[in-house]
Amino acid sequence: MITINTKKEIEIRNATYEVIGSSVVTLSVQNITQDRNGVTANGFYYYTKEDGEVVRLKDNRTYMSWDQIEEVEFNSLQPMTDVNYKEANFERLKEFVVLKLAEESGKNFGILMEDWDI
């Protein structure tokens, strides 16, 4: 659905937090679901080994209530102007992903907001 890569390689750590290598990390948003209470985005962080094997680092599930979404749209985002429903939805989703990455800066694998290729 949407993927965002880091601009540089990030240290990859094992379960005991030992550095086992470094790689570009990707956040992949796989789907969004909505109900009367809000929207949930589901995805995961991963990296790809030199041999092409994809290694999943962490599942990611983010929920926002409709009130939170309305507040963010009113205070932080430009009005949607695209008349194509699909394009408008993908663009708005990407904007929310960027805001969430900024909020989580440094918390997931030490990746800072400026490390993402956005």
Side-chain angles (χ1 to χ4, degrees):
M1 187 171 215
I2 289 180
T3 58
I4 301 174
N5 298 317
T6 56
K7 294 179 202 175
K8 62 182 184 177
E9 291 190 352
I10 304 297
E11 288 184 341
I12 306 298
R13 298 176 182 272
N14 63 16
T16 60
Y17 296 99
E18 296 173 285
V19 175
I20 58 173
S22 63
S23 183
V24 169
V25 174
T26 301
L27 169 63
S28 177
V29 178
Q30 295 292 298
N31 63 59
I32 55 172
T33 55
Q34 65 184 38
D35 60 26
R36 63 188 171 110
N37 299 314
V39 175
T40 303
N42 295 290
F44 54 90
Y45 292 89
Y46 70 91
Y47 70 96
T48 305
K49 290 183 173 181
E50 290 180 16
D51 64 3
E53 177 186 356
V54 172
V55 179
R56 214 167 171 147
L57 293 168
K58 175 184 169 187
D59 288 339
N60 193 42
R61 180 179 173 153
T62 302
Y63 171 80
M64 291 183 77
S65 71
W66 289 115
D67 289 340
Q68 290 171 311
I69 290 169
E70 184 178 357
E71 182 180 334
V72 169
E73 285 186 316
F74 183 76
N75 293 318
S76 303
L77 301 176
Q78 296 294 319
M80 292 172 51
T81 57
D82 200 320
V83 294
N84 179 301
Y85 181 78
K86 179 181 175 184
E87 294 302 318
N89 277 298
F90 277 108
E91 184 59 33
R92 186 57 99 212
L93 175 59
K94 186 170 182 180
E95 291 170 346
F96 274 100
V97 168
V98 168
L99 288 173
K100 204 62 174 164
L101 288 173
E103 180 182 305
E104 297 172 355
S105 184
K107 295 178 185 173
N108 285 310
F109 313 105
I111 302 171
L112 302 174
M113 183 60 197
E114 58 266 18
D115 293 337
W116 292 104
D117 188 14
I118 300 174

